[in-house]
Amino acid sequence: MKITTLAIALLFATSTISGCTDAPTTTENVKPTLIPEYKDRLDIYQTIELTADLSHLTKEQKQMLGLLIEASDIMDELFWKQAYGDNKEAFLASITDEKVRKFTTINYGPWDRLDGDKTFLTGYAPKQPGAQFYPTDMTKAELEASNLEDKKGLYSLIKRNEQGELTSIAYSEAYSEELNRAAVILEKASTLAKDKEFANYLKMRAQALRTDEYQASDFAWMDMKNNPIDVVIGPIETYEDQLFGYRTAFESYVLVKDLSWSEKLAKYAAFLPELQKGLPVHKKYKTETPGSDADLNAYDVIYYAGHSNAGSKTIAINLPNDETVQLEKGTRRLQLKNAMRAKYDAILVPIAQELIVPEQRKNVTFNAFFANTMFHEVAHGLGIKNTINDKGTVRQALKEHASALEEGKADILGLYMIRQLLEKGAIEEGVLADYYTTFLAGIFRSVRFGASSAHGKANMVRFNYFAKHKAFDRNEEGLYSVNMEKMSEAIDSLSALILELQGNGDYQGVDNLVNDSGFIGETLTQDLNKLSLANIPVDITFEQGKKTLGL
């Protein structure tokens, strides 16, 4: 038995007036059950044990890792509140089937993140585009017309006061107990850090959690170069806010640096200013100079929490997002090598066997997969952060479409960069066909995440654009092959289109592009079904934590 539409509406209305962030739930005597058509989706994630070699770390460094995992668990608690609501424990306890409960935990709620956020449990309403960041009865027009100074805030929730008027509350106030606990743990971890820059970053990040002032800690993180341990923690990405793309979600990654791989990557950052000048677009869209202090490093990730752990797993990080920090310092690009390798072995290679023509399968390589992912992150630093016509930052002007277009830009400019660096001899491994063919196989991998997320929309826009411009062919057996010359032409023309949309702050133009191309067509749906029939996992999930690591 499901809650009626009226009951759900009443639950929404009650939570809105009270300011509670509880998602609508089933009645006390009714247990949520799996909607039958989702039975075959419970195994779309392959479980991987998330480990790394920690033998080179000192006793103090291992203690520090334990503390960072504890702080990360608090970020996980907070993301549950932002994505679902306050009653996580009761919600999960109400699910009697263990496999369904695990699937629910992976999705941080009753909505399938890799199937357009569709509801997979009985008794739950569709997911709100604004998650729990906004009142459920609030329209976009209402917030836009309000006089709230903080309506575009990165670190606040929008609520209704007793009079029903929109108001905002800072994260540091709404989540004060949790954030103070996390801050104390980070400060304790800082006392174990021998590296002064890392100790300073941890202390400043702790202060940021208490004050919602993150820029100073972002600068400190940019200056932290040599420590073998790292943590990315706090409210960071805006993808969960699909209503406006304004508000950040809590997450964490605990990382151990791979020194040998990092050394190989260090040389590429120096090419950024030169590559910016050579972008295939009018010079007015490339007047900004990317920070030259950016660095590239490879890490083994040993813990994911919050937004980073929801649904599909991130395999590379490009931060900070603060435009001021980016222009002054650049960004740090962190490649999560062990997670990347797990996806390559379990997913990408089997996909190539099913969908790439036999003669091009040899061009699907881990080195190309690693490089495509890395240069995607590097490419976030190229292009433009502020509109050229006084519409503010690109993120503000494009609202909920900003993330999808930025991901599309990074994908396409990453390929542009690889082609340029191969021609310069800066990349010495492989040939261009490796990178293009691996990228095509990677589209099929990413498209299976669905078209609702920022990455999903970007994937579909790019796939449909490539198809229209004959960048690849599909034969009668449903196998794909790259057309090298036309692929390069499509990369250049799509790069120019995206950079112009961003620079102009053209919200309507991006809206048209997403509506026209951000969908999965019938032929592609048939091809993706082949992957399901072959039992190829859609993504991975982790056994992780102190016990797994032997800490």
Side-chain angles (χ1 to χ4, degrees):
M1 172 182 172
K2 297 183 181 180
I3 292 182
T4 65
T5 303
L6 175 59
I8 290 173
L10 288 172
L11 281 167
F12 271 140
T14 302
S15 66
T16 299
I17 294 169
S18 67
C20 174
T21 57
D22 282 353
T25 61
T26 54
T27 57
E28 186 174 338
N29 297 322
V30 178
K31 303 294 185 183
T33 57
L34 187 72
I35 294 173
E37 54 262 39
Y38 277 88
K39 182 180 179 181
D40 293 335
R41 290 188 60 80
L42 297 180
D43 295 317
I44 64 173
Y45 293 91
Q46 180 167 320
T47 301
I48 304 291
E49 193 174 74
L50 196 58
T51 59
D53 180 10
L54 307 181
S55 61
H56 61 292
L57 299 180
T58 66
K59 179 181 177 181
E60 290 78 13
Q61 287 171 330
K62 291 178 182 179
Q63 287 179 318
M64 190 192 307
L65 288 179
L67 289 170
L68 297 179
I69 289 172
E70 290 176 19
S72 299
D73 284 336
I74 297 173
M75 299 301 108
D76 205 69
E77 292 175 30
L78 292 174
F79 181 67
W80 264 102
K81 291 187 176 185
Q82 293 179 318
Y84 172 76
D86 289 337
N87 55 344
K88 165 200 168 185
E89 297 303 330
F91 165 53
L92 292 178
S94 70
I95 303 170
T96 55
D97 186 287
E98 185 177 342
K99 285 186 71 172
V100 175
R101 191 185 313 115
K102 180 178 180 180
F103 191 71
T104 305
T105 301
I106 292 170
N107 285 283
Y108 287 73
W111 306 288
D112 188 344
R113 290 174 177 269
L114 302 192
D115 190 24
D117 285 327
K118 293 177 183 176
T119 308
F120 60 82
L121 290 180
T122 59
Y124 286 89
K127 186 177 182 181
Q128 295 294 312
Q132 299 295 312
F133 298 114
Y134 307 94
T136 54
D137 66 343
M138 187 199 78
T139 65
K140 292 181 70 174
E142 182 182 9
L143 183 64
E144 290 173 334
S146 75
N147 294 320
L148 277 179
E149 291 184 6
D150 193 38
K151 60 185 175 183
K152 296 183 180 181
L154 291 167
Y155 311 116
S156 65
L157 302 172
I158 299 297
K159 299 286 189 180
R160 290 197 187 279
N161 61 21
E162 292 180 356
Q163 290 74 42
E165 301 165 332
L166 295 182
T167 185
S168 68
I169 178 172
Y171 285 175
S172 58
E173 181 180 350
Y175 309 123
S176 59
E177 190 273 330
E178 296 95 334
L179 292 175
N180 272 305
R181 278 196 289 124
V184 169
I185 294 171
L186 292 183
E187 288 167 342
K188 185 177 180 181
S190 74
T191 66
L192 297 171
K194 301 296 184 184
D195 184 88
K196 291 182 179 179
E197 284 80 12
F198 188 52
N200 180 56
Y201 162 64
L202 290 177
K203 287 184 282 189
M204 295 187 75
R205 203 64 173 177
Q207 180 68 5
L209 291 174
R210 295 187 177 109
T211 63
D212 306 299
E213 299 290 339
Y214 286 90
Q215 189 177 86
S217 63
D218 283 345
F219 274 114
W221 188 67
M222 287 301 299
D223 292 334
M224 196 275 294
K225 304 285 188 181
N226 302 313
N227 201 56
I229 292 171
D230 204 346
V231 62
V232 175
I233 189 166
I236 298 170
E237 302 289 3
T238 61
Y239 303 129
E240 192 71 9
D241 178 3
Q242 295 186 36
L243 189 64
F244 283 103
Y246 293 156
R247 285 169 163 79
T248 51
F250 286 95
E251 65 182 331
S252 184
Y253 306 81
V254 182
L255 308 161
V256 177
K257 195 170 188 177
D258 187 313
L259 297 174
S260 61
W261 273 72
S262 295
E263 188 176 339
K264 292 196 300 182
L265 305 182
K267 62 182 179 180
Y268 295 122
F271 288 94
L272 276 178
E274 178 183 350
L275 291 167
Q276 172 84 348
K277 291 179 182 177
L279 290 173
V281 69
H282 191 279
K283 62 182 180 182
K284 65 183 178 181
Y285 297 103
K286 50 187 178 182
T287 56
E288 295 175 355
T289 302
S292 58
D293 200 24
D295 63 335
L296 303 172
N297 288 285
Y299 288 80
D300 283 330
V301 55
I302 61 169
Y303 204 70
Y304 287 79
H307 181 265
S308 66
N309 195 43
S312 62
K313 303 302 183 288
T314 301
I315 53 178
I317 303 168
N318 175 58
L319 292 170
N321 288 328
D322 187 303
E323 292 89 352
T324 301
V325 181
Q326 288 184 2
L327 290 173
E328 185 172 334
K329 289 280 192 177
T331 59
R332 289 179 60 199
R333 287 87 173 193
L334 284 57
Q335 312 306 304
L336 311 183
K337 186 167 66 68
N338 57 341
M340 204 179 295
R341 185 84 219 191
K343 291 200 183 193
Y344 176 80
D345 291 339
I347 303 171
L348 196 68
V349 171
I351 284 176
Q353 294 297 317
E354 291 291 330
L355 293 182
I356 301 297
V357 294
E359 58 269 27
Q360 288 191 352
R361 288 172 191 166
K362 66 182 182 298
N363 296 116
V364 177
T365 69
F366 179 70
N367 280 335
F369 182 53
F370 186 95
N372 286 344
T373 306
M374 176 181 68
F375 283 107
H376 166 102
E377 301 305 331
V378 175
H380 279 299
L382 297 181
I384 198 162
K385 305 299 177 188
N386 299 289
T387 59
I388 65 173
N389 48 11
D390 299 322
K391 291 185 179 180
T393 66
V394 172
R395 181 162 45 175
Q396 291 171 337
L398 299 184
K399 302 177 184 178
E400 76 275 14
H401 292 318
S403 294
L405 196 66
E406 177 63 22
E407 293 306 323
K409 181 203 81 173
D411 275 329
I412 207 71
L413 290 190
L415 289 176
Y416 156 80
M417 293 176 72
I418 287 170
R419 190 177 77 227
Q420 297 297 313
L421 292 173
L422 278 168
E423 291 176 0
K424 295 176 186 296
I427 295 177
E428 299 174 352
E429 295 177 327
V431 295
L432 189 58
D434 294 347
Y435 299 92
Y436 281 3
T437 309
T438 302
F439 187 85
L440 178 60
I443 293 179
F444 296 122
R445 180 186 71 85
S446 300
V447 162
R448 298 176 82 202
F449 299 162
S452 64
S453 69
H455 292 79
K457 291 175 183 175
N459 281 320
M460 287 319 308
V461 168
R462 184 177 56 258
F463 181 87
N464 290 322
Y465 189 93
F466 281 174
K468 181 179 179 180
H469 289 78
K470 310 294 184 183
F472 55 74
D473 298 312
R474 181 181 183 274
N475 65 21
E476 293 180 355
E477 287 77 38
L479 300 177
Y480 290 78
S481 59
V482 174
N483 184 321
M484 294 294 294
E485 183 178 349
K486 291 184 178 179
M487 176 71 90
S488 293
E489 292 172 357
I491 288 168
D492 287 350
S493 61
L494 183 55
S495 297
L497 173 62
I498 290 175
L499 290 169
E500 288 168 5
L501 289 168
Q502 286 187 320
N504 295 334
D506 187 355
Y507 177 88
Q508 190 57 53
V510 182
D511 193 62
N512 293 339
L513 180 65
V514 171
N515 289 333
D516 292 343
S517 303
F519 62 90
I520 300 176
E522 183 178 343
T523 299
L524 181 56
T525 298
Q526 295 172 0
D527 295 333
L528 297 179
N529 286 339
K530 288 172 59 178
L531 304 181
S532 298
L533 292 173
N535 293 319
I536 299 172
V538 177
D539 207 67
I540 56 178
T541 189
F542 301 114
E543 288 183 7
Q544 58 175 1
K546 294 182 187 180
K547 184 177 180 181
T548 302
L549 293 164
L551 293 176

